[in-house]
Amino acid sequence: MRALRTAATGMAAQQLNVEVISNNIANMNTVGFKRQRAEFQDLLYQNVERMGATSSSAGTVVPTGIQIGVGVRAGSVYRITEQGTPQATGNRFDLAIDGRGYFQVLLPSGETGYTRAGNFSVNGEGQLVTDDGYAVQPEISIPQEATDVIISPTGQVQVLVQGDPQPQVVGELQLATFFNEAGLSAIGDNLLVETAASGPATVTAPGDPGVGTLLQGYTEASNVDAVAEITALIVAQRAYEMNSKVITAADQMLQAANQVKS
């Protein structure tokens, strides 16, 4: 009976859907997190009677035919890159991107990682780093004698030194953009890496056309909507239950067929 296998594919699809939703909910408070959405596709169809086939010697054709679907499968898990709400932190090294773009981070492997999480700090050498100690690129070094740090919306980093009223420029931050942001591959720790699907990174200064600006003293909140996720979870749960009822019904039908006596 096809219904058993078809319903089983539906249960497997909704299980994946719930797993995606649970990851979104788990990361509601993760800085710069982008929620994901599972998308599904129907599977192949079995043609019991093909539409358009000749049905008589007079040349008449079957208008609709009979096609029976065999279920559903996951097509993709899509990352939704809409911006989260900036949240004030009071930390002078925290940065949020208002608009498109990603911070660049030097990974231990030598590759460049990309992130929207701007909860930065400085290490023992004065370098601007992530909370895992990875250096932000281009490298920014804060002098030990600096009394304050000023980061402009366009990425210029200035410091004030005691006894000198004029701020000193110590570097400039740049942002990377991609033609297909959803094609970036997540590797954990709020980091993404470039793939063939994302296209190569275009690195420009904040504030350039098509690139966001920086907000000092802010971080970008997760874009997960708790109400929307709970609603999606309920829908997925009900869909899972309905597919399980189809399996129960198909089993009862097979049991009835087996009890028929000749």
Side-chain angles (χ1 to χ4, degrees), residues 59-83:
T60 57
V61 296
V62 177
T64 57
I66 301 174
Q67 280 190 312
I68 301 177
V70 295
V72 63
R73 71 178 181 89
S76 66
V77 177
Y78 185 82
R79 183 180 300 105
I80 300 173
T81 58
E82 69 180 10
Q83 183 169 331

Side-chain angles (χ1 to χ4, degrees), residues 224-236:
V224 174
D225 183 338
V227 175
E229 295 300 327
I230 292 299
T231 303
L233 179 61
I234 293 171
V235 172

Side-chain angles (χ1 to χ4, degrees), residues 4 8 18 36 59-60 67 83 89 106-107 118 120 133 135 144 152 158 169 204 211 229 232 235 260:
L4 284 170
V18 170
Q36 294 177 300
T60 57
Q67 280 190 312
Q83 183 169 331
T89 63
L106 181 62
L107 303 179
F120 300 137
Q144 188 173 2
S152 73
Q158 299 174 306
V169 177
T204 55
V211 183
E229 295 300 327
V235 172
V260 173

